[in-house]
Amino acid sequence: MRLRTNIFRKIALALIPAICLLSGCSQNEFMFDYPDHLGTLTPCIVEQDTTVVILRDYFPKMNDMDTITILTNADAPYLVMYECYDTVEGVEKFCPLLVKNAIPAKLEGADKSKLPRMSTLPSSSSGKDFYIKIEGGMEQLVLLWEGRILERGRHFELVSDSLVRVVAPRAARKMERSYIQAFTSNAYGVGNDILVPLEYGKVVRDPAQLKRTDKHSQILYSLLIDRFVNGNSDNDWSIGDPSLVHPKVDYWGGDLAGVTAKIKDGYFTELGINTIWLSPITQNPYDAWGYSPDPGTKYSGYHGYWPIFATRIDDRFGTEEELNELLAEAHAVDMNVILDYVSNHMHIESPTLKAHPDWTTPSYTPDGRKNRELWDEFRLTTWFDDHIPTLDLEREEICSQLSDTALFWMKNYDFDGYRHDATKHIPEGYWRLLTRKLIDSLPGKNLYQIGETYGSLSLISSYVKPGMLDGQFDFNVYDTYIWATTYPDGSFEGLAGCIEGNLAVYGHHNLMGYISGNHDRPRYISLASGDVRHDEDQKLAGWKRNIVVSDTMAYRKLAMLHALNLTLPGVPCIYYGDEYGQPGANDPDNRRWMEFEGYNSHEQEVADAVKELTHLRRSSMPLMYGDYFQLAAENDIFVYMRSYMGEAVITFLNKSAEPREVSVSLPFGLEYDGSSVVNVTLEPYSYQILETNK
Ligand SMILES: [Ca+2]
């Protein structure tokens, strides 16, 4: 790629207002009067080879030219005019700070132990200031408040080379919630980032100050409505013909009223989750579709992923009144509800596709093959099956109308966000347009949007940014945990590396989803117990055998997975049944009835452990807003720490069949039980979590 001179002309022009802004700003202490068109800053992704820097990531305004700011250092922002759809080429100066969020070549082989590391410490009792302690040496430090640059001498000062005192800007006193972020780098690259929530300008120290709208405090719970609880037998309906549809893939009667009943009886509150992810509720067909030759059955739409009327509630799940009651009851106990929504496809019999048969992507590839399940080769056009054609969302009129359809659910019901199905099969433009519409039509709502993408870090993260989605499910960490704990060559060293790589891309305060399982995967416990094998057809296994838990050690490994998810940065997500270890092969065997009682002693131990972990997380600022530091990573042992304002939580995992003694040193002068060295003995397949200052 070549540099383009017109870009530099634009940079030069853009610098003039930047300089004016900086001088104007200094006359107005504590005030931030950047013009609206500048918007706020976001850390950008930069990829660099030897000659060219490619910048991605900014807040796009549809149909408008954007401006992005490159932070070369805190005193002199460079502005670059937005030139291309999602890439700016030709940035003259390499800026290590911006490599945060990108891994690529530049940092390959760099000694990560030499990166700067930051941690926060409390300061005065008034809570208007705090300290950032930096280890490993820093060359650059950038502090942002609500995306605006904080200035040295006014909002922060260097007490020493390794200690920075930060004062919340006065403007923060007017806002119930705002955030300070810190980024730092040295010659070896970019270190961890810091996120500090403020309440009316004071540092939030007490988890009781957090609300369900604080996205970092979320714990998700994913359920399949048809398989959860049957709360209203009046709406029960099934195809009921085993020669056509096997009972395992027919409707079982679960509904919205069932979910409401469990909200009201306190199940979710006691479990400690605060966001329910509801499976899709749009009307699905009444007849049978698809076909599996073994065991020879069609399927019903019990899962909800075949929308036929995209703005109607499936009457087998409930009515408008029942949905409104569910949402009201959830909010009454401070719980969010996000809706699983299918944008990628519609059922072939839907009135929409009957009226617009040309709205689908081509059924055949350019070289004449049937375009089915070609997930990566034809990512944006492939069909999931003959009866659910993919919508051509790259066409403007389709994108516009169908984003309105998605918006319908947020405008007409009090949902708190979406889980977006099949995210990577939908073009970025759709996500930008939908998000723009959400912001414009529901100001102040701050909905949480999490997507589903299997793929590389760069593909997954390309949808995660301001103006698009808050997060996606991090299947890579889940898969690496499966590998580490169920394959002979699996190692926690690999898991630790995967987590560090992800944090470098998504940031240390990401809102990615960390799952215990989901409706498209065999149950973790059944892989861990060996009842479902890695080398077999994992769907067929569930049709052919009764999958049970034949090795009880698997319960301990499952509890350890929950411990991992509930102590990592990000948003933990429990798939229904995983809170006690329901077994199962892949779809549909991973969708059995939820059970609420009659657990055996192993299941009860997992259920108790999960409750303890969720309550620990939600009562711990370090686990919700803390930084992350790996303390040890060996084949069988993994130890890491989260810390916030001088408090730390240390998680120890042992995947060995033997007890292990582990010793780690705490950074930043932190102590546990009066010592900076912590020694613990771990039982086989177990975890321990220690809190300092407790
Ligand atoms: Ca029912």
Side-chain angles (χ1 to χ4, degrees):
M1 259 172 281
R2 63 191 168 78
L3 302 179
R4 289 184 295 184
T5 52
N6 65 329
I7 295 279
F8 293 111
R9 221 171 23 246
K10 286 179 176 175
I11 293 173
L13 287 171
L15 275 173
I16 296 167
I19 293 160
C20 299
L21 280 171
L22 284 170
S23 57
C25 188
S26 64
Q27 292 160 10
N28 234 334
E29 197 170 348
F30 295 115
M31 298 301 289
F32 292 89
D33 53 1
Y34 291 77
D36 283 346
H37 78 270
L38 257 180
T40 53
L41 309 180
T42 6
C44 296
I45 292 179
V46 168
E47 293 169 5
Q48 185 187 38
D49 63 15
T50 50
T51 53
V52 178
V53 178
I54 302 169
L55 248 186
R56 299 192 274 115
D57 236 4
Y58 54 94
F59 199 155
K61 292 175 183 161
M62 297 300 290
N63 311 316
D64 193 9
M65 187 163 80
D66 259 321
T67 306
I68 56 171
T69 301
I70 303 176
L71 301 170
T72 52
N73 63 55
D75 298 325
Y78 279 55
L79 301 188
V80 177
M81 305 311 284
Y82 162 54
E83 177 75 5
C84 314
Y85 181 62
D86 66 351
T87 302
V88 178
E89 294 176 52
V91 180
E92 189 175 23
K93 206 168 165 182
F94 172 63
C95 163
L97 187 72
L98 294 172
V99 181
K100 181 206 127 50
N101 284 353
I103 297 312
K106 175 67 182 168
L107 295 180
E108 203 68 49
D111 186 351
K112 286 184 182 147
S113 68
K114 292 180 178 169
L115 296 176
R117 306 195 291 178
M118 293 189 286
S119 189
T120 53
L121 294 171
S123 179
S124 65
S125 56
S126 75
K128 290 174 189 162
D129 62 341
F130 63 93
Y131 290 101
I132 297 176
K133 194 165 183 184
I134 300 160
E135 291 186 348
M138 88 171 148
E139 288 178 11
Q140 278 192 313
L141 174 70
V142 172
L143 285 151
L144 302 176
W145 172 74
E146 291 298 291
R148 290 148 170 89
I149 299 171
L150 294 178
E151 289 182 58
R152 184 173 167 183
R154 290 225 304 275
H155 305 113
F156 69 94
E157 58 188 349
L158 299 186
V159 179
S160 71
D161 284 353
S162 62
L163 196 65
V164 180
R165 178 171 172 264
V166 185
V167 182
R170 188 178 298 178
R173 295 180 200 171
K174 293 177 184 163
M175 293 174 67
E176 181 175 9
R177 181 72 74 246
S178 62
Y179 298 92
I180 289 176
Q181 289 172 280
F183 304 91
T184 187
S185 68
N186 64 16
Y188 298 95
V190 179
N192 67 299
D193 56 291
I194 294 281
L195 178 73
V196 175
L198 305 174
E199 184 168 297
Y200 296 114
K202 291 185 182 179
V203 173
V204 175
R205 299 285 305 277
D206 181 357
Q209 293 171 268
L210 300 173
K211 300 178 174 172
R212 65 184 171 87
T213 47
D214 289 302
K215 293 178 182 174
H216 292 85
S217 73
Q218 290 184 107
I219 300 176
L220 259 63
Y221 186 84
S222 151
L223 62 86
L224 214 58
I225 294 170
D226 183 61
R227 304 297 165 89
F228 199 62
V229 175
N230 187 352
N232 178 3
S233 55
D234 290 345
N235 57 24
D236 289 2
W237 181 93
S238 65
I239 290 174
D241 178 355
S243 70
L244 190 63
V245 169
H246 192 288
K248 262 189 129 168
V249 288
D250 206 341
Y251 284 83
W252 287 5
D255 47 32
L256 295 172
V259 179
T260 307
K262 297 315 288 182
I263 295 171
K264 286 165 94 166
D265 82 4
Y267 181 75
F268 299 107
T269 304
E270 206 182 313
L271 180 60
I273 65 102
N274 61 350
T275 298
I276 297 170
W277 151 14
L278 274 189
S279 57
I281 60 173
T282 46
Q283 184 72 50
N284 271 234
Y286 276 88
D287 42 3
W289 293 85
Y291 184 70
S292 165
D294 193 0
T297 182
K298 290 188 169 189
Y299 296 83
S300 77
Y302 72 97
H303 43 71
Y305 288 98
W306 299 343
I308 196 161
F309 295 106
T311 56
R312 188 188 295 175
I313 299 170
D314 196 306
D315 48 12
R316 289 154 293 193
F317 295 156
T319 61
E320 257 185 63
E321 293 69 35
E322 283 172 314
L323 176 58
N324 283 326
E325 189 193 357
L326 185 156
L327 294 169
E329 292 292 343
H331 294 160
V333 293
D334 209 21
M335 194 157 298
N336 299 305
V337 182
I338 64 172
L339 177 66
D340 195 331
Y341 189 76
V342 182
S343 297
N344 179 70
H345 53 255
M346 289 195 76
H347 194 275
I348 200 161
E349 298 286 320
S350 71
T352 306
L353 285 183
K354 291 273 182 204
H356 305 281
D358 65 322
W359 274 18
T360 71
T361 56
S363 186
Y364 287 84
T365 64
D367 57 6
R369 287 175 290 155
K370 214 173 178 186
N371 191 0
R372 299 288 178 278
E373 301 190 350
L374 300 174
W375 309 123
D376 296 308
E377 192 182 355
F378 289 94
R379 179 167 67 88
L380 295 174
T381 60
T382 202
W383 294 17
F384 281 56
D385 207 337
D386 290 347
H387 64 286
I388 39 173
T390 290
L391 295 157
D392 190 359
L393 293 167
E394 284 184 290
R395 279 169 56 191
E396 204 177 319
E397 75 274 22
I398 306 175
C399 185
S400 170
Q401 292 196 40
L402 290 173
S403 54
D404 280 342
T405 308
L407 190 64
F408 165 89
W409 292 96
M410 297 297 128
K411 283 171 87 169
N412 289 281
Y413 298 97
D414 198 9
F415 280 109
D416 304 292
Y418 294 104
R419 178 268 183 185
H420 288 299
D421 189 54
T423 304
K424 79 168 183 186
H425 301 295
I426 296 169
E428 283 186 25
Y430 175 84
W431 301 120
R432 295 184 196 283
L433 180 60
L434 175 60
T435 304
R436 170 55 54 198
K437 286 180 176 178
L438 289 170
I439 292 169
D440 287 346
S441 59
L442 297 164
K445 191 81 164 132
N446 197 21
L447 299 166
Y448 178 62
Q449 296 193 83
I450 183 163
E452 175 206 34
T453 291
Y454 290 89
S456 65
L457 281 184
S458 63
L459 176 66
I460 297 170
S461 63
S462 67
Y463 292 93
V464 179
K465 59 189 71 172
M468 293 176 72
L469 308 184
D470 295 283
Q472 298 228 55
F473 290 100
D474 193 334
F475 300 113
N476 295 332
V477 164
Y478 180 62
D479 286 333
T480 310
Y481 181 85
I482 292 173
W483 167 76
T485 56
T486 70
Y487 280 81
D489 66 336
S491 164
F492 271 162
E493 240 179 311
L495 177 64
C498 175
I499 290 168
E500 295 236 320
N502 285 11
L503 292 176
V505 172
Y506 308 133
H508 279 236
H509 300 280
N510 65 73
L511 292 164
M512 302 290 289
Y514 290 83
I515 60 168
S516 66
N518 81 12
H519 57 283
D520 291 326
R521 308 291 301 269
R523 295 276 185 179
Y524 168 76
I525 194 162
S526 299
L527 295 173
S529 69
D531 291 283
V532 174
R533 296 191 305 274
H534 293 297
D535 62 354
E536 69 177 326
D537 180 331
Q538 295 171 338
K539 288 187 179 178
L540 196 60
W543 288 108
K544 298 295 180 192
R545 306 197 294 275
N546 181 28
I547 304 294
V548 295
V549 184
S550 50
D551 175 0
T552 56
M553 279 301 130
Y555 289 104
R556 302 182 67 131
K557 293 183 178 180
L558 173 63
M560 196 159 55
L561 169 60
H562 286 300
L564 173 77
N565 289 340
L566 284 153
T567 54
L568 282 181
V571 178
C573 179
I574 300 167
Y575 179 51
Y576 85 95
D578 283 343
E579 69 265 51
Y580 64 88
Q582 181 182 109
N586 203 343
D587 169 16
D589 196 36
N590 55 2
R591 305 168 179 192
R592 302 180 188 179
W593 271 122
M594 173 64 190
E595 287 176 17
F596 296 92
E597 54 192 11
Y599 298 159
N600 66 38
S601 63
H602 300 289
E603 291 171 333
Q604 192 58 51
E605 270 176 41
V606 175
D608 292 344
V610 169
K611 277 182 210 166
E612 198 180 336
L613 288 163
T614 54
H615 288 86
L616 172 69
R617 183 177 181 97
R618 292 187 59 201
S619 63
S620 166
M621 290 302 290
L623 289 180
M624 293 182 283
Y625 289 94
D627 39 39
Y628 166 96
F629 299 107
Q630 177 187 309
L631 301 182
E634 302 162 14
N635 192 64
D636 291 333
I637 300 295
F638 184 21
V639 187
Y640 52 90
M641 179 189 97
R642 311 276 315 273
S643 67
Y644 178 84
M645 299 296 158
E647 292 178 22
V649 176
I650 310 144
T651 302
F652 298 79
L653 308 176
N654 173 22
K655 75 171 185 69
S656 157
E658 306 295 327
R660 294 288 293 269
E661 291 188 5
V662 183
S663 177
V664 292
S665 299
L666 303 181
F668 301 107
L670 290 162
E671 293 188 341
Y672 177 76
D673 216 5
S675 169
S676 66
V677 176
V678 187
N679 303 303
V680 301
T681 304
L682 295 163
E683 295 297 310
Y685 308 120
S686 78
Y687 62 90
Q688 268 190 48
I689 300 170
L690 302 180
E691 294 177 273
T692 66
N693 299 356
K694 291 271 171 173

